[in-house]
């Protein structure tokens, strides 16, 4: 009985033929087609705030991925018990729990990273990507699917963060992961300051629009 | 304006009888004395900055127009040249050659063409370019040069620099006998150009006079060690106040439309300038003040317009 | 002394560390609700109200609950819970007693529930004033001031932005840059203008 139940929540669609393929699709959609940052414009606040260096961006991406996967698993597990009226507060509690875990772990093991990410670690709790995936995906799909969805979205978010922070670090500090790229290049300080973040994301969104348009328009 | 292929532009329609092109070249003409003064005071290097800046502005404008399948000849309508000139006037006389190029690219692409070109920009392009450079390369942007005839070749601070500013007498400030940006330094030459523009009715008195008046009033009240003891003549004559008030805040596209709006705009610019000059960490606040007020212009227009055309709400 | 400090907090939160332009908090409503001036104003007012009120509530939670029991690590969880339920409560309250007001503000309140600017101000308050608070009453004053002024700064920038975007409707913006992309460019230019306030000396 219990085993049957576990089976349904884990492998709801296990009879489908291309099961692994589907999982993979759940994973890859987050990176490209539904990239949370560039395509859906979700979770922009932390993206802009912490992308001053690649290390910060990657750290933030990893933290958010952990919270995404964790909360997706729990939400998906309990999705059958939670009355739909109070589901949002329940999701928030689940997410907040994982955020607290990340917060304390980071403080203990990566104190420097924790310091430079500042209040944006606790702010993962109000990151629309996390709540959005819990509500739109995990509360309707099996655990396995939700895990891959969380991983994919997390990877997409991390990728976007790394891209943006690589651009900003290179232009604004002349470095990549702290290593000098080009000797004699005068970095433009603006890019690691607030206006630079808004500028880079604006141009990147424009570029993504341009290429999608080209692809569909031709 | 016959024969040019401008698309229909939004709100800031030019009201005077002159064509856009004529106005642009008249403003450039009015700015010439100040440029000549800058070149005379700081020598050949300022001419180099001016030329690089103007050429790069026109080239970037033409390139972007080409990219959008528009006629690249529009780049010669004078507005890009004017932007380049104003940008150069806001730069120190000596700097690496690529700095004005970057400034021109930012001014033209980021502040003007991306909004749709002339008549569409929200912020003053030359000022966006200058502020971009100021934030990005503060060291180059604050390396001043002494006048050619100064004995010590070591560059000094501008009069507005907050610590260790040497004393200047008013005549030196008025004629431009001190370190500063190329086009803002000689008040006499700027005044000649400003009078020309006022007489030709290309600009009205509302913005420059309320702007300068507010700065003088507030620096008189708060600028000194005690209340009402500030040196307002000094604040009038130093920094980019005259250049900004007459030539940049009055830009047709980025100023309010109504008289009432212009007065509000001028006073706002004045307040922001004084706040940054007296309290901020940057020595000069004029460019930031004008940019800040540029952002408010659509709201000013909205609430000073007496009648709305078309649909109400 | 105290008045001076309050002034410093106000200027700093409104201009120097503006929530949108320099701290990047509340970007979703900033991009989402800035297309027209009127909704922007209502959104700003709603955010200001909720920020002020939640500064007060989280102060109470921290001083009377988290601190005495030494469970400060539950800050994230407890703050988000009280803020979310408070906003829900307000929403229901307004819906019940003033349907007219609800028609204007209801939708914005729903959007604010998980707004990072509101949560952000609570976390910032706790980092800046509550952790080291020896005088709870003073901390309350600072928290509420910061909450209110953060809302004012938010409203101000949202209003500027909405004015600009109304004008942009008429502009010949290149097609890929339309919408969000150009909104971010405008925000970037505004942020440059706000940099003029950096490094204020009081």
């Amino acid at each position: 009985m219990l085993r049957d139940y576990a089976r349904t929540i884990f492998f709801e669609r296990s009879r489908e033929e291309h099961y692994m393929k589907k999982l993979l699709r759940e994973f890859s959609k987050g990176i490209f087609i539904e990239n949370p940052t560039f395509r859906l414009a979700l979770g922009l606040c932390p993206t802009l705030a912490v992308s001053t260096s690649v290390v910060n961006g990657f750290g933030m991406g990893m933290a958010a991925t952990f919270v995404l996967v964790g909360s997706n698993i729990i939400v998906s597990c309990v999705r059958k018990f939670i009355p739909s009226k109070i589901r949002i507060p329940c999701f928030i509690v689940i997410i907040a729990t994982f955020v607290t875990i990340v917060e304390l772990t980071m403080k203990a093991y990566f104190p420097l990273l924790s310091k430079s990410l500042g209040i944006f670690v606790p702010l993962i709790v109000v990151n629309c990507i996390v709540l959005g995936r819990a509500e739109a995906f995990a509360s309707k799909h099996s655990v396995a699917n939700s895990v891959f969805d969380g991983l994919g979205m997390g990877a997409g978010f991390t990728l976007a963060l790394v891209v943006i922070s690589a651009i900003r670090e290179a232009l604004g500090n002349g470095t990549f992961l702290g290593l000098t790229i080009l000797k004699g290049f005068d970095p433009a300080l603006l890019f690691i300051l607030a206006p630079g973040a808004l500028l880079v994301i604006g141009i990147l969104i424009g570029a993504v629009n341009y290429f999608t348009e080209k692809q569909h328009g031709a | 304006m016959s024969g040019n292929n401008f698309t229909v532009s939004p709100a800031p329609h030019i009201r005077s009888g002159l064509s856009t092109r004529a106005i642009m070249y008249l403003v450039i003409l009015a700015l010439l004395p100040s440029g000549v003064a800058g070149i005379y005071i700081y020598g050949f290097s300022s001419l180099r900055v001016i030329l690089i800046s103007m050429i790069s502005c026109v080239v970037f404008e033409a390139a972007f127009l080409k990219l959008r399948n528009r006629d690249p000849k529009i780049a010669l309508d004078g507005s890009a040249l004017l932007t380049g000139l104003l940008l150069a006037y806001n730069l120190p006389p000596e700097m690496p050659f690529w700095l004005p190029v970057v400034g021109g690219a930012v001014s033209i692409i980021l502040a003007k063409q991306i909004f749709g070109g002339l008549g569409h920009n929200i912020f003053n392009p030359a000022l966006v370019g200058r502020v971009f450079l100021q934030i990005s390369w503060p060291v180059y942007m604050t390396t001043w040069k002494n006048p050619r005839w100064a004995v010590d070749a070591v560059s000094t601070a501008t009069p507005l620099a907050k610590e260790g500013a040497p004393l200047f007498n008013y005549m030196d400030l008025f004629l431009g006998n001190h370190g500063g940006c190329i086009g803002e330094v000689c008040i006499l030459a700027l005044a000649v150009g400003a009078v020309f523009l006022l007489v030709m009715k290309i600009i009205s008195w509302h913005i420059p006079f309320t702007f300068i008046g507010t700065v003088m009033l507030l620096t008189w009240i708060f600028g000194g060690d005690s209340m009402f003891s500030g040196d307002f003549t000094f604040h009038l004559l130093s920094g980019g106040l005259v250049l900004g008030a007459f030539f940049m805040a009055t830009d047709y596209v980025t100023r309010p439309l109504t008289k009432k709006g212009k007065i509000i705009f001028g006073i706002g610019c004045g307040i922001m300038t004084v706040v940054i000059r007296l309290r901020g960490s940057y020595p000069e606040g004029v460019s930031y003040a004008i940019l800040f007020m540029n952002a408010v212009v659509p709201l000013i227009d909205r609430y000073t317009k007496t009648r709305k055309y078309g649909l109400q709400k | 002394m105290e008045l001076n400090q309050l002034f410093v907090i106000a200027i700093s939160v409104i201009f120097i560390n503006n929530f949108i332009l320099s701290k990047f908090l509340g970007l979703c409503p900033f991009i989402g609700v800035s297309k027209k001036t009127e909704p922007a104003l209502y959104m700003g007012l709603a955010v200001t109200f909720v920020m002020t009120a939640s500064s007060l509530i989280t102060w109470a939670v921290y001083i009377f609950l988290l601190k005495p029991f030494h469970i400060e690590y539950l800050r994230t969880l407890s703050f988000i819970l009280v803020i979310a339920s408070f906003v829900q409560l307000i929403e229901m309250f307004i819906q019940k007693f003033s349907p007219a007001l609800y028609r204007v503000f209801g939708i914005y309140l729903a959007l604010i529930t998980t707004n990072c600017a509101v949560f952000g101000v609570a976390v910032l308050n706790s980092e800046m004033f509550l952790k080291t608070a020896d005088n709870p009453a003073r901390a309350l004053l600072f928290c509420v001031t910061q909450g209110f002024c953060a809302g004012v700064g938010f409203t101000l920038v949202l209003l500027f932005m909405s004015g600009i975007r109304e004008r942009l409707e008429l502009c010949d913006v290149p097609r890929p840059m339309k919408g969000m992309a150009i909104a971010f460019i405008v925000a970037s230019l505004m942020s440059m203008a706000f940099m003029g306030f950096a490094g204020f000396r009081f």
Side-chain angles (χ1 to χ4, degrees):
Chain A
M1 178 78 179
L2 198 66
R3 191 187 279 165
D4 275 357
Y5 179 71
R7 201 185 180 117
T8 45
I9 60 169
F10 256 92
F11 301 115
E12 219 163 22
R13 306 235 167 93
S14 58
R15 272 158 294 173
E16 280 182 23
E17 278 175 41
H18 307 293
Y19 183 64
M20 275 319 284
K21 225 176 188 175
K22 187 168 161 33
L23 285 187
L24 231 84
R25 203 163 61 228
E26 299 296 2
F27 175 74
S28 67
K29 75 170 190 291
I31 302 179
F32 301 107
I33 314 165
E34 288 181 30
N35 185 294
T37 307
F38 296 127
R39 305 289 301 164
L40 309 177
L42 291 175
L44 287 174
C45 305
T47 310
L48 296 187
V50 305
S51 57
T52 46
S53 74
V54 179
V55 175
N56 280 357
F58 188 72
M60 184 71 198
M62 284 295 109
T65 307
F66 173 76
V67 175
L68 254 168
V69 174
S71 65
N72 262 7
I73 291 174
I74 304 290
V75 167
S76 176
C77 282
V78 298
R79 72 185 189 277
K80 300 244 160 94
F81 313 121
I82 294 183
S84 71
K85 276 202 168 160
I86 55 154
R87 67 181 192 287
I88 299 285
C90 294
F91 294 165
I92 291 179
V93 173
I94 294 167
I95 295 166
T97 312
F98 279 101
V99 172
T100 310
I101 296 173
V102 169
E103 218 183 326
L104 297 178
T105 317
M106 203 182 267
K107 227 175 232 162
Y109 294 102
F110 307 99
L112 274 179
L113 187 65
S114 157
K115 207 167 215 168
S116 57
L117 294 183
I119 68 163
F120 284 90
V121 181
L123 275 172
I124 297 176
V125 94
V126 281
N127 189 325
C128 358
I129 301 174
V130 183
L131 188 62
R133 289 333 282 177
E135 162 75 2
F137 196 92
S139 65
K140 300 187 184 82
H141 292 88
S142 70
V143 174
N145 278 338
S146 302
V147 169
F148 277 87
D149 177 73
L151 279 175
M153 283 290 157
F157 184 60
T158 312
L159 183 76
L161 267 165
V162 169
V163 168
I164 295 172
S165 50
I167 295 175
R168 289 183 66 193
E169 195 185 325
L171 291 176
N173 203 26
T175 56
F176 181 77
L177 284 170
L179 301 168
T180 309
I181 301 174
L182 204 64
K183 267 198 183 141
F185 170 72
D186 267 313
L189 201 56
L190 180 119
F191 282 98
I192 46 171
L193 298 172
L198 295 161
L199 187 62
V200 169
I201 189 90
I203 290 173
L204 279 178
I205 291 176
V208 169
N209 285 346
Y210 178 75
F211 287 117
T212 1
E213 215 168 78
K214 222 173 174 185
Q215 228 167 27
H216 292 288
Chain B
M1 279 178 88
S2 64
N4 72 26
N5 48 356
F6 280 163
T7 44
V8 181
S9 69
H13 300 294
I14 287 159
R15 270 100 185 264
S16 111
L18 296 163
S19 73
T20 318
R21 180 184 291 254
I23 290 176
M24 293 298 168
Y25 283 109
L26 280 176
V27 177
I28 292 177
L29 186 68
L31 280 166
L32 279 186
S34 166
V36 172
I39 296 166
Y40 175 71
I41 293 167
Y42 300 120
F44 175 71
S45 64
S46 8
L47 180 65
R48 206 178 65 134
V49 173
I50 294 175
L51 286 181
I52 295 175
S53 162
M54 286 173 88
I55 292 169
S56 63
C57 275
V58 174
V59 169
F60 281 117
E61 174 125 319
F64 201 93
L65 286 167
K66 185 100 187 140
L67 208 70
R68 286 195 76 188
N69 294 324
R70 303 276 157 89
D71 183 9
K73 284 201 197 80
I74 300 176
L76 292 174
D77 65 0
S79 68
L81 275 179
L82 180 59
T83 300
L85 191 65
L86 282 173
L87 172 66
Y89 280 14
N90 276 295
L91 301 176
E94 186 142 44
M95 48 171 39
F97 76 94
W98 50 267
L99 219 55
V101 177
V102 174
V106 169
S107 298
I108 291 298
I109 295 174
L110 205 58
K112 185 176 162 195
Q113 285 299 339
I114 225 168
F115 290 94
L118 181 62
H120 298 268
N121 48 313
I122 305 287
F123 297 92
N124 187 318
L127 286 177
V128 170
R130 182 239 156 98
V131 165
F132 185 96
L133 297 181
Q134 169 92 58
I135 297 173
S136 294
W137 295 280
V139 176
Y140 293 126
M141 290 296 287
T142 48
T143 308
W144 309 108
K145 204 177 167 191
N146 267 341
R148 281 186 295 130
W149 47 82
V151 190
D152 50 340
V154 189
S155 47
T156 51
T158 60
L160 274 176
K162 271 152 193 157
E163 284 86 26
L167 287 170
F168 293 90
N169 66 40
Y170 292 149
M171 200 37 115
D172 278 349
L173 289 173
F174 186 64
L175 294 176
N177 186 14
H178 59 87
C181 294
I182 297 171
E184 66 179 30
V185 65
C186 180
I187 306 297
L188 175 65
L190 283 171
V192 171
V195 169
F196 173 72
L197 288 185
L198 283 169
V199 170
M200 293 289 290
K201 292 210 163 55
I202 289 176
I203 59 172
S204 66
W205 60 271
H206 302 88
I207 294 173
F209 283 74
T210 46
F211 189 167
I212 292 174
T214 311
V215 170
M216 289 176 75
L217 181 71
L218 290 178
T219 46
W220 176 53
I221 299 176
F222 300 109
D225 295 330
S226 60
M227 292 292 232
F228 302 105
S229 68
D231 186 351
F232 55 85
T233 322
F234 170 79
H235 276 280
L236 166 67
L237 295 178
S238 52
L241 180 59
V242 175
L243 178 68
F246 281 99
F247 295 95
M248 290 191 291
T250 54
D251 172 34
Y252 278 141
V253 186
T254 54
R255 68 172 192 202
L257 296 171
T258 59
K259 281 183 188 144
K260 211 161 119 195
K262 285 180 196 167
I263 291 171
I264 298 173
F265 180 78
I267 293 174
C269 286
I271 294 173
M272 288 298 161
T273 303
V274 174
V275 166
I276 296 172
R277 273 195 184 178
L278 297 182
R279 287 277 175 269
S281 64
Y282 290 105
E284 175 56 307
V286 172
S287 5
Y288 293 99
I290 299 176
L291 277 187
F292 183 90
M293 290 309 288
N294 280 164
V296 197
V297 165
L299 282 187
I300 296 179
D301 273 345
R302 188 189 167 92
Y303 292 108
T304 55
K305 234 179 252 171
T306 43
R307 198 163 70 88
K308 248 187 179 171
Y309 299 112
L311 292 171
Q312 187 74 40
K313 205 173 173 198
Chain C
M1 165 67 184
E2 213 134 281
L3 203 67
N4 205 13
Q5 253 174 314
L6 290 182
F7 181 71
V8 172
I9 292 174
I11 295 294
S12 146
V13 168
I14 296 178
F15 291 112
I16 309 168
N17 295 319
N18 185 285
F19 260 44
I20 297 176
L21 294 181
S22 119
K23 281 208 183 324
F24 303 120
L25 293 169
L27 284 174
C28 302
F30 173 65
I31 297 297
V33 204
S34 64
K35 285 199 185 109
K36 291 261 173 294
T37 308
E38 258 129 50
L41 181 65
Y42 295 142
M43 182 73 187
L45 291 178
V47 167
T48 311
F49 171 73
V50 172
M51 273 185 175
T52 317
S54 55
S55 295
L56 185 86
I57 297 172
T58 50
W59 169 82
V61 168
Y62 200 94
I63 296 292
F64 298 122
L65 214 64
L66 300 185
K67 212 158 189 194
F69 295 106
H70 298 291
I71 45 172
E72 280 97 341
Y73 61 87
L74 285 181
R75 180 188 69 179
T76 308
L77 189 63
S78 55
F79 278 15
I80 187 75
L81 270 184
V82 291
I83 292 174
S85 39
F86 166 72
V87 178
Q88 291 285 316
L89 212 67
I90 292 286
E91 201 185 330
M92 290 195 288
F93 185 81
I94 295 181
Q95 195 173 14
K96 179 97 177 146
F97 291 100
S98 170
L101 204 62
Y102 182 76
R103 265 199 299 281
V104 178
F105 286 108
I107 173 169
Y108 303 113
L109 281 175
L111 286 174
I112 292 173
T113 317
T114 55
N115 181 331
C116 54
V118 175
F119 185 64
V121 85
V123 174
L124 266 183
N125 278 341
S126 77
E127 298 271 329
M128 285 169 70
F129 308 125
L130 294 176
K131 261 188 183 160
T132 53
D134 33 13
N135 182 350
R138 241 175 76 130
L140 173 66
L141 194 63
F142 288 164
C143 285
V144 173
T145 311
Q146 172 147 299
F148 177 73
C149 292
V152 170
F154 183 89
T155 311
L156 205 66
V157 173
L158 199 63
L159 272 182
F160 291 174
M161 187 68 180
S162 66
I164 293 175
R165 282 184 85 174
E166 275 184 11
R167 180 171 279 189
L168 279 180
E169 293 276 294
L170 305 166
C171 286
D172 178 27
V173 177
R175 209 144 50 109
M177 296 304 291
K178 277 210 166 95
M180 241 170 32
I182 194 77
F184 275 112
I185 303 284
V186 170
S188 164
L189 299 183
M190 266 165 86
S191 174
M192 283 185 210
F194 270 67
M195 290 283 295
F197 301 106
F200 256 45
R201 300 164 308 165
F202 294 96

